[in-house]
Amino acid sequence: MTQEHYDIIIIGTGAGGGTLLQRLAPSGKKILILERGSYLPREKENWRAAEVYGNERYHTHEQWYDKEGHTFRPQMSYWVGGNTKVYGAALLRMRERDFEAVLHQDGVSPEWPLKYQDFEPYYTQAEKLYDVHGEFGTDPTEPPRQSAYPYSPVSHEPRMQEIVDGLKQQGLNPFHLPVGLKLNEVERTLWDCIRCDSCDGFPCLVRGKADAEVNGVKPSLVYANVTLKTLAKVLRLHTSESGREVTAVETQIGDETLMFSGDVVVVACGTVNSAVLLLRSANDRHPNGLANRSDQVGRNFMKHLTTAMVALSQKKNPSMYQKTIAVSDFYWGEEGFPYPMGFIQNTGNVLTDMIPAEAPSRLADLLKFAPKVDLDLRPQYQLAAEHSVGWWFQTEDLPNPTNRVQVVREQIYLDYTPNNLEAQNRLVHRWTEILKAIEQADYLIPFSIYPRNHMPIQVMAHQCGTCLFGEDPSSSVLDLNCRTHDVDNLYVVDGSFFPSSSAVNPTLTIMANALRIGDHLLDRLK
C-alpha cells in the first residue's frame, strides 16, 4: 500500500544523508528520511573497549561474502548517524592535486570531472557544520582555503608534543589533525566533549563528537516538515513503466511492507549498500540493476589500504586524547620513490581491553622479550597500553572495475583485491625508521617494537566508489549533480560517487558534496 507522498525521500542518515537533511530541512519541503537502524543506545558500554572492540557491540551481525565465497562480518554501523556514530572524526579536505590524474606505481588515479575549487566553498561549510578544529599553514600538502578553520586545533598533550618535537628534529612537518569535536579547551563546561580516551571507534556517551546524528539529523527534526522513520529498511525502488522515474520506495518496518513515494529520491546508504539497493531494484527496464546501463554500479569499490601500528617504548604515554598528530610529508612520495605513498595520523588511545581484539597477533609474543621498564608486574597488556602510541596509515587504492559489489541470490558479495601495495609497505617501513630514530635520540640503548596489522576486508571505514559520477552515461552512473543518468528523480549522495579515493579520510568530502547537492535540489524543487 502506498503511503503519503513527499517532496524528498532520503534513504540513510550517515555522512551523506544526515548532512543533506540538514541542508534541506529549513526549506519547508516535505521530507521523509528512512533509517534501517535505531538510535544508538546511550549506555556505559559506549566507553567499554571490551564491548566496542572485543565484542563489536555496535557493528551489524550481517554476513557478507568475499571473492572466495567465505563469509565475513563487515564493520558497518546501522544507527541514526550511520558509521559516523563510531568514526574517529578526522575531517580532512582532499588535496588540490587529488582531483587531477595522478600517476602511482601501480597505475593512474583518474581525474575528477569537478575540481577542488568546485568543492572548496562546501568544504568550508562542512567544517563549520561539523565543528572542525584545525590550523592552516602547517600541513605541507594542504589545499588553498578562503577562510580559517572554524575552531583552533586540539592541543597536544605533553607526550604527544614530545613526539611532535622529535618528528621535527627528523626534518618532518607534523601538524594538528583536523577533527570534529564539540570541544572548548578554554572553558570545558561550555561544550560537551570531555577529551576522554574513548573516542576513536567508540560511540560518544556525552555527544561530544560531531557526528551526522548530533550535527545533522537532530537539529533537522525541529522542523515540522521533516519525518524520520527508524528501523525502516528499504528493500527496493520501483519505477514507472518507462523506467525514468522512481515511483515507490518499498520499505520494511516491523512486520509491514510499506510503499513511500517522492518527487525526488536520494539514496545515501553508504558505498556498498547504495550499490546493493540499485542492483536489487532491477526490473524490465533496468535488467542489470537500477541506473546500471553503464554496467558500472558496484564496480570500482575502494576503501584505502589501511594499517594500524602500536609503537611501544620505554616512555609512558599518559595522554587522555592522543589523536592530534598528522603527517603528510610522504603523501606524494619521497626521494627515490616518485609516487604517492600516503597519509599518517594517530589512532585513538591504545587501551588494555582493545589489545586482544585489535592489536597485532605477535604483540603478546613480542612483549615476552621486552625489557622491564620498572618493577611493576601488572599484566602485559596493561603495561603495553601504558607505553604505547597508536599510528594509522592510509594509502590510496586505485579504482579497478573488478573490485566490485555484487548481489547473488540476495546475498552481498564483495570482490576486492588490494592494489598499490608497495606504496603502503614503503610508507609503514619509512615511518618505523623515523620512530626508531626518535627513540635513539632519547636513549643510548633504545627499546622499541612496532607490531602492526594491515586492515582486512571487513574494515569498511573509508569505503567509496561503486556509483562514480561523470559526464558520459556509458562510463558513469551519476551526472555531476549525483543524479543517475538513467532515472530522472534518483540521486546517490554518499561516498559512492568518488572516481578515486585519494589518501585522506573521505568523510569531509562526502559531507561537502552533500551540501553541494542540497543546493542543487533546492533549485530543482523551487
Side-chain angles (χ1 to χ4, degrees), residues 228-379:
L228 167 65
K229 291 187 181 295
T230 60
L231 297 174
K233 183 178 180 180
V234 174
L235 303 177
R236 58 186 49 83
L237 306 177
H238 297 266
T239 68
S240 61
E241 187 175 343
S242 69
R244 292 297 299 174
E245 302 86 25
V246 172
T247 55
V249 177
E250 183 180 344
T251 308
Q252 182 178 343
I253 302 178
D255 295 330
E256 290 188 282
T257 299
L258 304 175
M259 298 288 190
F260 299 100
S261 62
D263 293 337
V264 168
V265 175
V266 180
V267 176
C269 307
T271 293
V272 171
N273 281 307
S274 287
V276 166
L277 178 58
L278 297 184
L279 292 170
R280 282 180 172 161
S281 300
N283 59 32
D284 290 343
R285 291 291 183 178
H286 301 272
N288 297 319
L290 204 58
N292 197 23
R293 171 178 31 145
S294 62
D295 191 34
Q296 294 301 304
V297 171
R299 294 188 183 273
N300 300 297
F301 172 80
M302 298 166 282
K303 70 182 192 75
H304 282 158
L305 307 178
T306 52
T307 304
M309 174 186 287
V310 178
L312 290 153
S313 73
Q314 295 190 55
K315 281 195 173 182
K316 282 191 174 183
N317 180 16
S319 305
M320 288 298 293
Y321 180 85
Q322 74 170 28
K323 189 171 180 174
T324 57
I325 303 173
V327 176
S328 63
D329 292 83
F330 307 107
Y331 198 89
W332 299 119
E334 63 175 344
E335 185 176 352
F337 191 79
Y339 305 104
M341 291 163 62
F343 187 75
I344 303 165
Q345 59 187 283
N346 285 126
T347 64
N349 294 46
V350 180
L351 304 177
T352 302
D353 288 340
M354 290 170 56
I355 292 176
E358 291 292 305
S361 58
R362 293 181 61 243
L363 180 54
D365 293 334
L366 289 167
L367 287 173
K368 295 176 183 177
F369 301 101
K372 294 296 183 183
V373 298
D374 53 32
L375 298 178
D376 198 332
L377 300 179
R378 285 171 293 175

Side-chain angles (χ1 to χ4, degrees), residues 19 87-95 122-136 139 142 145 147-155 175-185 191 193 208-212 215 321 323-324 505-509 511-512 515:
T19 306
Y87 78 153
L91 296 174
L92 296 111
R93 300 181 179 205
M94 286 173 54
R95 318 289 90 170
Y122 296 103
Y123 276 134
T124 299
Q125 294 172 33
E127 287 168 345
K128 183 176 180 181
L129 175 59
Y130 284 95
D131 305 313
V132 178
H133 296 247
E135 183 178 32
F136 179 65
D139 172 3
E142 66 189 336
R145 52 190 304 135
S147 59
Y149 282 97
Y151 299 101
S152 58
V154 177
S155 64
F175 59 95
H176 290 270
L177 180 67
V179 289
L181 298 176
K182 295 184 173 298
L183 173 67
N184 185 321
E185 295 197 84
W191 272 24
C193 176
K209 184 158 52 178
D211 63 46
N215 287 49
Y321 180 85
K323 189 171 180 174
T324 57
N505 306 51
T507 312
L508 187 70
T509 302
M511 294 166 171
L515 295 174

Side-chain angles (χ1 to χ4, degrees), residues 150-168:
Y151 299 101
S152 58
V154 177
S155 64
H156 301 306
E157 294 183 43
R159 175 60 180 139
M160 308 316 294
Q161 185 62 56
E162 288 179 357
I163 294 171
V164 167
D165 295 339
L167 293 173
K168 289 181 178 179

Side-chain angles (χ1 to χ4, degrees), residues 391-411:
W391 296 101
W392 180 263
F393 309 85
Q394 46 201 55
T395 297
E396 180 169 357
D397 53 344
L398 304 178
N400 184 332
T402 64
N403 282 343
R404 64 186 301 195
V405 178
Q406 298 184 82
V407 177
V408 181
R409 295 183 296 276
E410 291 300 308
Q411 300 298 320

